[in-house]
Amino acid sequence: MTGLRRERLVPRVDWRRRAEALGFSFHTSDGVPYWDETACYALTAEAVDQIEEATNELEQMCLALVDRVVAAGDYGRLGLSDEAAGLVEASWKRGDRNLIGRFDLSWDGEGPPRMLEYNADTPTSLFEAAVVQWEWMETVKPGTDQFNSIHDRLIDAWGRFGIRNPVHFACVRDHAEDFGTVEYLRDTATQAGLATAFLHIDEIGWNGLGFVDLDDQPIRTLFKLYPWEWLLGEEFGRNIGPSRVQMIEPAWKMVLSNKAMLPLLWEMAPGHPNLLEASFDPGAIQGPQVRKPILGREGANVEIVGGESSDGPYGAEGFVYQALHRLPKTDGGYPVIGSWVVASQSAGIGIREDDGPITRDGSRFVPHYFT
């Protein structure tokens, strides 16, 4: 029996009301449900253990890769500028703490889970994984359990940062999912006893000495749901180093949020059962492969070479190539397991389905449980 099984369900008649009562305002996109209760995934306890073990193993390998890159000064193959490399190096040597990350895994419940990529800097689908699917489980599958300690681990992690000043949370304007994710994280920080404030990225000011908010109060700790490469492209990006602001996620995450890390990780641990062969040279990989932009998000500009592809604005920085490991096919589509780490420890999963083999922005979130 496989450790991962899809079950069809009849959605709760009041699921929209329940979602909105939780603060889940982005449950529907363009009239199509993003939160999908027409199915769920049932896992065995052994499957949960296997995902948890693989996730912790991958996270430790990724941390070892950052250490290896910094020690060797191997920033060129990641395409990092001198400014970015300096921030990475200083951040890593200071021991700056990280908060969250999400591995995207391909797994059908048998054999080792395989890492497709690591969303290390600006991962989303957090609120629905931590809170919304937990409420679903309690009402739809009472008496079962869920691979999900994300909420409690977030509160604990905030308490371990040693922060004494207010934490400012920022994201772009007019993006419901980003705002919902940031507000959720802000709530977990508040529950950890921290003072918090929210502002949009474009509202961050510079007074010549440091970053300030709209009330001219100093920003000493900033959680930003905004990619590091975008930050460094902004006018105020040059002030990040001099400002001495504590950034979450830290600058060293630039090594891991960059898909050029996939070939470097394979070089470090060739043949590892949770990795897929990856290279900067497509000729180095035998058999079917996938081309991915070095900097890209939400499955954009991904191509199964000779097959399906997705459009998008990415690819100017170049591409990497990864051995193809097709997602399992179910009667609902192609599921990908988003396996969360909080403070570099496995914390739970969220599963998304897409109609095609490339997981895109419009993929649906499907809850899970285990017994």
Side-chain angles (χ1 to χ4, degrees):
M1 177 181 173
T2 182
L4 183 69
R5 186 183 75 256
R6 189 180 193 271
E7 297 179 359
R8 291 189 178 187
L9 297 173
V10 176
R12 295 172 293 178
V13 294
D14 61 345
W15 71 265
R16 289 179 177 83
R17 179 190 64 80
R18 287 176 174 274
E20 289 163 8
L22 292 170
F24 187 31
S25 61
F26 51 96
H27 57 69
T28 301
S29 177
D30 296 327
V32 178
Y34 159 62
W35 170 261
D36 187 357
E37 290 191 8
T38 64
C40 69
Y41 281 87
L43 284 76
T44 62
E46 292 78 13
V48 168
D49 290 342
Q50 195 166 351
I51 296 171
E52 182 176 32
E53 181 180 345
T55 300
N56 282 326
E57 175 81 4
L58 287 166
E59 177 71 359
Q60 290 307 308
M61 283 196 294
C62 285
L63 296 176
L65 178 64
V66 179
D67 195 57
R68 179 181 169 117
V69 166
V70 171
D74 191 12
Y75 304 112
R77 290 195 293 170
L78 291 161
L80 298 180
S81 66
D82 290 344
E83 178 186 17
L87 290 171
V88 166
E89 192 156 323
S91 172
W92 183 250
K93 290 181 176 179
R94 278 195 308 267
D96 289 355
R97 287 180 176 270
N98 65 311
L99 183 64
I100 53 174
R102 192 192 78 231
F103 289 98
D104 283 349
L105 306 177
S106 175
W107 195 51
D108 62 3
E110 298 178 356
R114 298 298 189 97
M115 185 186 93
L116 302 175
E117 59 188 61
Y118 189 16
N119 300 274
D121 184 20
T122 57
T124 52
S125 78
L126 177 66
F127 180 58
E128 47 271 44
V131 175
V132 184
Q133 69 171 346
W134 185 266
E135 186 273 341
W136 169 89
M137 180 203 67
E138 289 186 318
T139 58
V140 177
K141 295 287 183 179
T144 66
D145 205 346
Q146 192 171 84
F147 183 19
N148 183 6
S149 60
I150 299 169
H151 185 76
D152 290 341
R153 286 181 181 269
L154 282 169
I155 295 170
D156 180 68
W158 282 118
R160 294 175 183 273
F161 270 92
I163 298 169
R164 298 289 179 264
N165 46 267
V167 182
H168 287 76
F169 289 77
C171 67
V172 296
R173 292 180 182 274
D174 303 322
H175 195 294
E177 183 178 9
D178 284 9
F179 178 73
T181 301
V182 165
E183 280 295 274
Y184 168 61
L185 282 165
R186 182 184 171 196
D187 179 64
T188 61
T190 301
Q191 290 188 51
L194 302 179
T196 67
F198 173 82
L199 74 171
H200 294 103
I201 285 286
D202 59 67
E203 294 174 328
I204 297 174
W206 175 255
N207 65 6
L209 298 174
F211 294 117
V212 293
D213 62 19
L214 292 173
D215 296 321
D216 208 33
Q217 295 301 304
I219 298 175
R220 296 193 172 94
T221 300
L222 176 66
F223 177 91
K224 48 86 198 165
L225 192 66
Y226 196 72
W228 263 101
E229 65 268 20
W230 295 2
L231 271 182
L232 295 181
E234 303 282 350
E235 185 176 346
F236 62 77
R238 71 191 69 175
N239 297 319
I240 292 174
S243 74
R244 306 179 74 86
V245 65
Q246 180 182 16
M247 300 288 284
I248 307 170
E249 293 298 310
W252 58 260
K253 281 289 189 82
M254 280 190 272
V255 173
L256 302 179
S257 62
N258 179 325
K259 291 184 185 63
M261 61 86 80
L262 295 172
L264 302 188
L265 200 58
W266 183 258
E267 287 178 12
M268 189 183 79
H272 192 282
N274 297 125
L275 296 179
L276 295 169
E277 184 178 4
S279 177
F280 295 100
D281 175 14
I285 299 175
Q286 300 298 313
Q289 56 190 262
V290 180
R291 189 182 78 157
K292 297 182 174 183
I294 286 176
L295 297 177
R297 283 171 173 76
E298 301 288 1
N301 300 102
V302 171
E303 178 188 2
I304 298 173
V305 177
E308 300 89 343
S309 63
S310 59
D311 297 329
Y314 304 107
E317 295 81 10
F319 295 86
V320 298
Y321 299 82
Q322 185 182 57
L324 174 64
H325 189 271
R326 286 193 177 274
L327 294 171
K329 177 70 168 68
T330 72
D331 58 358
Y334 296 83
V336 65
I337 297 173
S339 190
W340 288 92
V341 289
V342 176
S344 288
Q345 291 293 315
S346 175
I349 62 170
I351 300 175
R352 291 175 298 151
E353 285 184 340
D354 201 284
D355 293 335
I358 298 173
T359 306
R360 310 167 200 248
D361 186 33
S363 63
R364 303 169 297 277
F365 191 103
V366 181
H368 80 277
Y369 74 97
F370 78 88
T371 53

